[in-house]
Amino acid sequence: MNEFIKVAEVADLQPGEGKTVMAGDRELALFNVAGKFHCIDNVCPHRDGSLGGGVLNDKVVICPLHGWRFDVTTGQSPVIPSAKVEAFEVVVTGNDVKVKI
Ligand code: FES
């Protein structure tokens, strides 16, 4: 596909917050890190936890099920080298937050 899809509005997420969003039929996790939006796959590679529901600590989200951590700017786990989720490019156009998938 490779196009930008609106997944949220700027006012939907305050700095330090995250949520699960949909881009078409794909579940993504969107985060606001100090005013900048970042997006990764929502599904934790451990046992399918919803990363959008995790607690955000600076730029690292903690999976709500068993605590695996992912850098939301890259999708990479800072703890487990082999654990990574896909990260997506985000643009803000006016009030719209769009993700490239
Ligand atoms: S499902 Fe995410 S840490 Fe287990």
Side-chain angles (χ1 to χ4, degrees), residues 44 46-49 63 65-68:
C44 177
H46 180 221
R47 290 192 186 170
D48 299 340
C63 179
L65 290 193
H66 315 100
W68 282 26

Side-chain angles (χ1 to χ4, degrees), residues 29-45:
L30 183 70
F31 301 93
N32 181 333
V33 179
K36 191 165 191 303
F37 289 90
H38 298 277
C39 188
I40 58 175
D41 198 287
N42 189 53
V43 181
C44 177

Side-chain angles (χ1 to χ4, degrees), residues 12 17 27 31 35-36 48 58 68 77-78 84 89 93 96:
D12 291 344
E17 292 182 343
E27 260 187 23
F31 301 93
K36 191 165 191 303
D48 299 340
D58 189 20
W68 282 26
S77 165
K84 184 170 185 175
E89 186 178 346
T93 307
D96 296 342

Side-chain angles (χ1 to χ4, degrees), residues 2 10 18 25 42 47 65 70 75 97:
N2 215 23
V10 170
D25 58 0
N42 189 53
R47 290 192 186 170
L65 290 193
F70 298 90
V97 181

